[in-house]
């Protein structure tokens, strides 16, 4: 394990490392008339983990900022670990230590603690005279800080406002937000909540969580085994232990204690090594500690009960745990960055945004419920989530503070009515667009693209033609698709990492990765079950896990036909249509079915294999091994086969047409010949169009969609033949079904992106 000094200063080491990779702050911004005096007030171990990265950032720019540190609350209580010492170990000068906690751990003691803080804070704030006070979160100590600063005309920057957790903390958090002059929020939803609360959107920064700036690199460090052994013993292995952290809910203390007791009983029965952290100082904590001691947890061989774990070591323990249980915000926030399974007990945190790693047990009223949740979650691994940050929060916050005009009137302005459009400020005062990385795995090329959710007029790098301002291809990357699995995965990761680096400069916030690939796909697990013959060595392949682990992003995977349907639903002709079918006409024939606004996958994930609808018992052989499939007549490969046959018989070329000896005859030559009056080529295309039309008639009679969308390079050539067959062969009630040609340039990429954007912005996929 590294030296204690190195571990102790991990915040600073990480910040300095990121500084080297970031462009230097502009010289004009360094030449401020005077330093900006920033007071950071920290009340407990939890808020220090969020404030420390910012403090190191401020400390790293002494020519711009003058840092003052005030410590109060449970930091100064022995029962809670005297955690002010870790601030001193991080080499911060503590300007003031205020003993503000009235012991008792009940409702009255919390109120008295707020009052005591209000008595002591004015002298300190008057002496320090900060330009800005940084206040974090939703604790009662923070409410006292915000109240004192607001009444003393000190500008307040509130971190992590606008969130919803489902307890009394919500009321305190929102009260602090109303007192604060500026806000740095973690999520888009939190930003919208503040705008709905009439806060001035120009004073809201969508920054992300500061702790995420180091979380994403912490998972890669190799000394976590030493940390696990130091807290849980030499015999404990990675992902074979539990971290438990349960706090009281002050509006329902009696039930909190009951849940805590049931949790401990379930953990005893589950018989796994468990690290139990003491609860926070809220009302009810004393009773919870009594329950723990009554059950002998501190002496139990399977348990280690501790008052405090340094945050840098705590996140390593969470990252490599088999499961985390309790109701700590760390479970729904930080644990998601590692994909660690979490069980959230009771109502605390149920209002927060979470990744798919969190299982809520809201009515945790029996031992069996909690035990069953442990059975479901323990040892699992989930895609890493970046809901609460992308690793760039500190840079944004420092930049934001420098833009604060101290000459502006201090009086807050509230925006009535609430703002409809969600507009926020980032490091360059330009909206970071919600974006996705889209990967299209083709038979020849591997394509990766940055695709944005919404585009404004000052973005000039986009190439797509959609007119509604959504689904824009910001930047595209194309490479030849390698032949082996290992090379293919390595190239995907290389291209995605390059795109992620470029996205920062393009003001695109990457929310996740969507992968479109040929073959049969299990989208629930992100596994390609069977690939097409065009993509070798790509069967029973888990794509999600390696991409998610390496990129720290959630990953979605689906068949390219399904992706085309999703693209139409979000960006194309299918927008607002409840039931429609998309047919891809390219090298093969594929498609996707949208029924009641949902994509149909089928029981074994082979729904919408539309190219393998049989339209003739005596037809040509298909690549699937059957005969008479649509794909055997109408695909690009089928037309190429017929074009080559005609060319070999000298029946293809018309006057003015030439084929280079090195050039391979393909479907385009067949179409060109038909346009020049070649009756043989016309006959082939007529047969292909009729076969496709018959297949679509069968689809109309089976699922009765209101719209058929033809997509792909051959779509325009098939539009009229398909309409003609429908008018001749379909039932009268289906003959009016609309047939349209897609206007989307990259349906596979756009569909892959839509999986990400739909889930991360609206949770509908």
């Amino acid at each position: 394990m590294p030296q204690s000094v190195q571990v102790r200063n991990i915040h600073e080491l990480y910040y300095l490392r990121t500084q080297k990779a970031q462009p230097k702050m502009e010289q004009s911004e360094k030449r401020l008339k005077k330093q900006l005096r920033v007071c950071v007030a920290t009340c407990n171990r939890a808020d220090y983990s969020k404030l420390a990265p910012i403090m190191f950032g401020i400390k790293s720019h002494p020519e711009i900022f003058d840092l003052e540190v005030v410590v109060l609350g449970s930091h100064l209580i022995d029962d809670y670990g005297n955690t002010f010492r870790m601030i001193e170990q991080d080499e911060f000068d503590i300007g003031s230590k205020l003993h503000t906690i009235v012991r008792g751990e009940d409702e009255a003691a919390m109120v008295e603690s707020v009052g005591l803080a209000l008595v002591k804070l004015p002298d300190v704030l008057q002496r320090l005279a900060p330009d800005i006070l940084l206040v974090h979160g939703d604790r009662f100590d923070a409410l006292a800080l915000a109240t004192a600063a607001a009444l003393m005309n000190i500008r307040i920057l509130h971190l992590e406002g606008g969130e919803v957790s489902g307890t009394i903390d919500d009321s305190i958090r929102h009260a602090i937000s109303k007192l604060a002059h500026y806000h740095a929020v973690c999520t888009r939803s939190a930003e919208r909540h503040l705008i709905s609360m009439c806060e001035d959107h120009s004073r809201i920064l969508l920054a992300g969580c500061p702790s995420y700036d180091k979380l994403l690199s912490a998972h890669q460090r190799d000394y976590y085994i030493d940390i696990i052994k130091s807290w849980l013993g030499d015999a404990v292995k990675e992902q074979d232990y539990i971290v438990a952290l349960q706090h009281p809910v002050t509006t329902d203390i009696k039930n909190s204690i009951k849940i805590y007791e049931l949790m401990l009983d379930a953990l005893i029965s589950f018989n796994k090594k468990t690290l139990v952290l003491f609860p926070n100082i809220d009302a009810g904590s004393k009773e919870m500690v009594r329950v723990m001691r009554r059950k002998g947890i501190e002496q139990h061989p399977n348990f280690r009960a501790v008052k405090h774990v340094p945050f840098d070591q705590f996140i390593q323990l969470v990252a490599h745990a088999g499961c985390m249980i309790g109701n700590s915000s760390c479970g729904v926030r930080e644990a998601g960055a590692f994909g660690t399974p979490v069980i959230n007990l009771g109502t605390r945190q149920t209002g927060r945004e979470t990744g798919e790693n969190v299982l809520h047990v809201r009515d945790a009223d029996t031992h069996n419920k909690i035990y069953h949740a442990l059975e479901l979650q323990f040892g699992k691994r989930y895609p890493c989530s970046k809901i609460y940050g992308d690793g760039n929060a500190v840079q944004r916050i420092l930049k934001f503070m420098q833009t604060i005009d101290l000459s502006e009137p201090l009086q807050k302005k509230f925006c009535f009515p609430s703002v409809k459009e969600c507009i926020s400020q980032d490091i360059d005062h330009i909206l970071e667009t919600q974006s996705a990385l889209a990967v299209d795995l083709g038979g020849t090329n591997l394509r990766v693209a940055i695709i944005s959710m919404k585009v404004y007029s000052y973005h000039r790098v986009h190439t797509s033609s959609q007119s509604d301002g959504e689904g824009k291809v910001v930047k595209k990357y194309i490479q030849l698709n390698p032949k082996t699995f290992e090379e293919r995965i390595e190239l995907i990761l290389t291209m995605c990492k390059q795109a992620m680096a470029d996205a920062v400069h393009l003001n695109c916030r990457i929310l996740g990765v969507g992968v479109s690939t040929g073959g049969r796909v299990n989208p629930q697990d992100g596994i390609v079950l069977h690939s097409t013959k065009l993509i070798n060595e790509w069967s029973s392949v888990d794509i999600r896990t390696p991409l998610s682990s390496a990129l720290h992003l959630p990953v979605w995977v689906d068949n390219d036909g399904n992706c085309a349907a999703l693209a139409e639903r979000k960006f194309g002709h299918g927008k607002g249509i409840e039931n429609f079918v998309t047919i891809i006409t390219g090298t093969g024939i594929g498609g996707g079915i949208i029924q009641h606004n949902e994509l149909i996958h089928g029981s074994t994930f082979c729904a919408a294999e539309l190219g393998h609808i049989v339209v003739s018992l005596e037809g040509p052989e298909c690549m699937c091994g059957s005969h008479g499939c649509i794909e055997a007549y109408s695909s690009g490969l089928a037309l190429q086969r017929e074009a080559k046959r005609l060319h070999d018989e000298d029946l293809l070329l018309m006057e003015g047409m030439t084929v280079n000896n090195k050039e391979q005859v393909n479907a385009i030559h067949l179409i060109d010949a038909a346009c020049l009056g070649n009756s043989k080529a016309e006959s082939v295309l007529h047969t292909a169009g009729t076969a496709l039309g018959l297949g679509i008639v069968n689809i109309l009679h089976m699922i009765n969609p209101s719209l058929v969308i033809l997509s792909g390079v051959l779509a325009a050539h098939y539009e009229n033949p398909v309409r003609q067959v429908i008018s001749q062969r379909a039932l009268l009630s289906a003959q009016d079904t609309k047939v349209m040609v897609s206007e989307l340039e990259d349906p596979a990429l756009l569909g892959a992106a839509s999986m990400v954007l739909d889930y991360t912005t609206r949770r509908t996929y």
Side-chain angles (χ1 to χ4, degrees):
M1 184 171 176
Q3 295 296 320
S4 59
V5 173
Q6 291 176 305
V7 175
R8 188 171 62 226
N9 292 326
I10 191 171
H11 299 280
E12 187 167 25
L13 290 173
Y14 176 83
Y15 185 82
L16 293 174
R17 199 159 53 242
T18 58
Q19 278 291 89
K20 293 178 183 178
Q22 294 288 338
K24 292 183 179 179
M25 292 187 174
E26 296 178 7
Q27 292 298 317
S28 60
E29 293 171 333
K30 289 186 176 181
R31 299 192 193 104
L32 296 178
K33 292 181 180 179
K34 70 180 187 71
Q35 290 175 303
L36 190 68
R37 176 166 286 193
V38 181
C39 177
V40 178
T42 172
C43 309
N44 53 63
R45 65 191 181 194
D47 76 11
Y48 181 66
S49 69
K50 313 296 177 63
L51 292 168
I54 303 173
M55 293 163 67
F56 278 111
I58 292 171
K59 187 179 177 183
S60 297
H61 294 288
E63 74 282 8
I64 299 174
F65 302 106
D66 178 17
L67 176 64
E68 296 286 350
V69 180
V70 175
V71 172
L72 64 158
S74 60
H75 272 309
L76 303 169
I77 298 179
D78 181 62
D79 286 352
Y80 293 87
N82 280 326
T83 50
F84 73 90
R85 292 196 182 100
M86 66 183 179
I87 303 173
E88 294 176 335
Q89 289 169 354
D90 283 341
E91 299 180 358
F92 288 112
D93 294 327
I94 299 176
S96 298
K97 296 177 184 175
L98 300 180
H99 292 269
T100 58
I101 296 298
V102 176
R103 301 306 300 271
E105 285 78 23
D106 58 16
E107 294 94 331
M110 291 168 63
V111 177
E112 291 170 357
S113 296
V114 172
L116 182 58
L118 287 171
V119 169
K120 293 186 174 185
L121 279 168
D123 287 342
V124 173
L125 294 177
Q126 193 167 37
R127 173 172 55 82
L128 297 177
D131 296 316
I132 301 170
L133 174 70
L134 258 65
V135 178
H136 170 270
D138 50 28
R139 308 295 302 144
F140 57 83
D141 323 71
L143 179 60
L145 280 163
T147 302
L151 292 173
M152 296 181 70
N153 292 323
I154 296 170
R155 297 171 194 271
I156 303 166
L157 172 57
H158 184 208
L159 305 178
E160 299 188 7
E163 297 182 15
V164 177
S165 58
T167 66
I168 188 64
D169 294 347
D170 289 343
S171 299
I172 297 174
R173 186 185 309 108
H174 299 333
I176 296 171
S177 292
K178 301 316 293 181
L179 292 167
H181 304 85
Y182 306 94
H183 311 273
V185 300
C186 296
T187 69
R188 187 75 62 180
S189 292
E191 177 191 41
R192 292 189 182 114
H193 292 158
L194 287 179
I195 292 173
S196 298
M197 290 162 60
C198 305
E199 292 298 308
D200 184 349
H201 63 260
S202 69
R203 294 189 171 194
I204 303 172
L205 170 71
L206 178 56
C209 181
S211 65
Y212 265 58
D213 285 21
K214 60 184 180 297
L215 289 182
L216 300 181
S217 65
H219 197 203
Q220 305 300 323
R221 298 195 176 95
D222 56 5
Y223 58 80
Y224 65 87
I225 292 293
D226 295 327
I227 294 174
I228 294 171
K229 289 180 178 179
S230 68
W231 289 98
L232 290 164
D234 292 340
V236 178
K237 297 180 180 179
E238 179 184 4
Q239 296 182 21
D240 196 36
Y241 62 90
I242 298 170
V243 175
L245 179 52
Q246 179 88 1
H247 299 303
V249 176
T250 56
T251 52
D252 193 1
I253 295 173
K254 185 176 180 181
N255 190 49
S256 293
I257 298 167
K258 178 184 176 183
I259 291 174
Y260 189 65
E261 187 167 6
L262 292 170
M263 178 190 78
L264 294 177
D265 288 340
L267 288 170
I268 292 170
S269 301
F270 200 66
N271 198 32
K272 287 289 181 182
K273 202 74 174 180
T274 303
L275 180 71
V276 180
L277 278 83
F278 277 54
N280 64 22
I281 201 168
D282 283 351
S285 59
K286 186 181 291 184
E287 288 83 354
M288 292 173 73
V289 172
R290 288 195 188 107
V291 168
M292 181 176 66
R293 286 174 173 160
R294 189 170 66 246
K295 291 184 176 295
I297 295 299
E298 290 170 298
Q299 292 78 39
H300 196 288
N302 269 354
F303 289 84
R304 172 84 189 275
V306 297
K307 296 176 180 178
H308 169 66
V309 178
F311 184 72
D312 302 314
Q313 297 180 42
F314 180 64
I315 60 173
Q316 292 286 357
L317 291 164
V318 170
H320 300 282
C323 179
M324 184 175 184
I325 188 170
N327 63 4
S328 168
S329 62
C330 178
V332 299
R333 297 169 65 102
E334 284 83 355
F338 310 117
T340 302
V342 172
I343 300 167
N344 187 66
L345 301 177
T347 57
R348 196 173 191 259
Q349 313 301 346
T350 55
R352 289 195 192 272
E353 298 170 81
T354 70
E356 56 185 286
N357 63 311
V358 179
L359 174 65
H360 290 284
V361 185
R362 290 175 175 84
D363 298 319
D365 52 0
T366 67
H367 164 280
N368 287 341
K369 278 186 184 179
I370 301 173
Y371 188 88
H372 183 54
L374 285 165
E375 288 181 317
L376 290 173
Q377 288 286 78
F378 186 80
K380 277 190 176 182
R381 234 55 207 164
Y382 289 90
C384 301
S385 166
K386 280 187 166 183
I387 293 174
Y388 287 95
D390 61 2
N392 298 302
V394 173
Q395 285 290 335
R396 295 188 181 104
I397 292 169
L398 297 184
K399 183 78 173 180
F400 183 70
M401 285 196 293
Q402 291 178 75
T403 66
I404 294 174
D405 186 354
L406 300 180
S407 65
E408 283 185 348
L410 191 65
Q411 178 58 49
K412 283 187 65 171
K413 292 181 180 179
F414 298 101
C415 299
F416 300 101
S418 58
V419 179
K420 293 181 181 179
E421 187 70 26
C422 181
I423 301 174
S424 70
Q425 208 179 358
D426 73 357
I427 190 168
D428 292 317
H429 295 253
I430 296 174
L431 180 68
E432 284 183 319
T433 56
Q434 293 177 321
S435 305
L437 285 187
V439 179
D440 177 32
L441 187 71
T444 305
N445 291 325
L446 176 61
R447 301 189 302 157
V448 173
I450 303 169
I451 294 179
S452 68
M453 179 75 170
K454 187 169 287 188
V455 177
Y456 294 92
S457 59
Y458 47 72
H459 285 192
R460 303 181 184 275
V461 294
H462 309 293
T463 59
S464 183
S465 63
Q466 282 78 37
S467 60
D468 61 358
E470 292 189 345
K472 299 291 183 179
V473 179
V474 179
K475 191 168 183 179
K476 195 187 300 182
Y477 311 78
I478 302 175
Q479 295 281 349
L480 289 175
N481 200 351
K483 300 300 182 184
T484 67
F485 166 76
E486 292 79 9
E487 291 175 331
R488 197 171 292 141
I489 288 291
E490 183 178 355
L491 181 58
I492 292 173
L493 288 174
T494 300
M495 294 172 72
C496 285
K497 288 175 182 177
Q498 179 61 54
M500 290 172 67
D502 292 344
V504 175
H505 304 294
L506 294 168
N507 290 308
C508 293
R509 177 162 297 196
I510 302 299
L511 303 175
V513 181
V515 180
S516 167
T517 181
R520 189 162 64 96
V521 177
N522 176 350
Q524 296 173 3
D525 298 327
I527 295 174
V528 179
L529 301 173
H530 300 291
S531 65
T532 64
K533 291 184 179 179
L534 297 173
I535 309 173
N536 298 321
E537 293 190 17
W538 204 251
S539 293
S540 300
V541 170
D542 179 1
I543 302 181
R544 173 182 289 167
T545 300
L547 296 190
S548 180
S549 297
L551 301 176
H552 297 290
L553 287 170
V555 175
W556 288 264
V557 186
D558 214 329
N559 166 270
D560 51 6
N562 289 335
C563 286
L566 292 173
E568 295 293 342
R569 184 181 72 175
K570 188 166 187 66
F571 305 119
H573 293 312
K575 203 169 186 179
I577 306 298
E578 187 175 5
N579 303 294
F580 70 89
V581 174
T582 297
I583 312 287
I584 298 180
T585 59
T587 306
I589 300 290
I593 300 170
I594 301 294
Q595 193 80 350
H596 303 302
N597 294 316
E598 295 294 331
L599 180 65
I600 303 301
H601 285 102
S603 59
T604 57
F605 311 109
C606 67
E609 287 289 350
L610 307 180
H612 300 292
I613 294 175
V614 176
V615 292
S616 172
L617 297 178
E618 304 295 331
E621 185 177 3
C622 180
M623 289 183 70
C624 70
S626 183
H627 288 263
C629 299
I630 297 175
E631 189 166 297
Y633 286 103
S634 311
S635 67
L637 286 177
L639 296 184
Q640 183 181 33
R641 180 193 67 224
E642 292 300 305
K644 190 173 184 298
R645 179 181 63 79
L646 291 177
H647 183 61
D648 291 344
E649 297 173 3
D650 291 328
L651 298 174
L652 177 66
L653 299 183
M654 301 292 289
E655 185 177 350
M657 290 181 64
T658 59
V659 177
N660 191 305
N661 290 334
K662 296 181 180 179
E663 185 179 2
Q664 189 174 12
V665 176
N666 55 43
I668 299 300
H669 295 110
L670 187 75
I671 293 169
D672 289 344
C675 291
L676 292 173
N678 186 322
S679 60
K680 299 289 185 181
E682 287 176 347
S683 176
V684 171
L685 288 177
H686 179 266
T687 300
T690 301
L692 181 62
L694 288 173
I696 291 174
V697 167
N698 289 333
I699 295 169
L700 300 184
H701 292 168
M702 283 189 290
I703 60 176
N704 193 28
S706 59
L707 173 65
V708 174
I709 301 171
L710 299 178
S711 180
V713 294
L714 300 173
H717 301 288
Y718 285 140
E719 181 181 11
N720 289 330
V722 166
R723 284 178 174 166
Q724 188 174 5
V725 173
I726 290 174
S727 66
Q728 294 171 351
R729 301 292 190 97
L731 294 174
L732 187 63
S733 58
Q735 287 181 7
D736 292 332
T737 303
K738 289 183 180 179
V739 177
M740 303 179 75
V741 174
S742 174
E743 296 179 356
L744 301 180
E745 293 181 11
D746 289 293
L749 288 172
L750 290 170
S754 78
M755 292 189 287
V756 177
L757 297 173
D758 274 348
Y759 186 86
T760 55
T761 59
R762 290 198 292 274
R763 300 292 198 274
T764 61
Y765 180 74

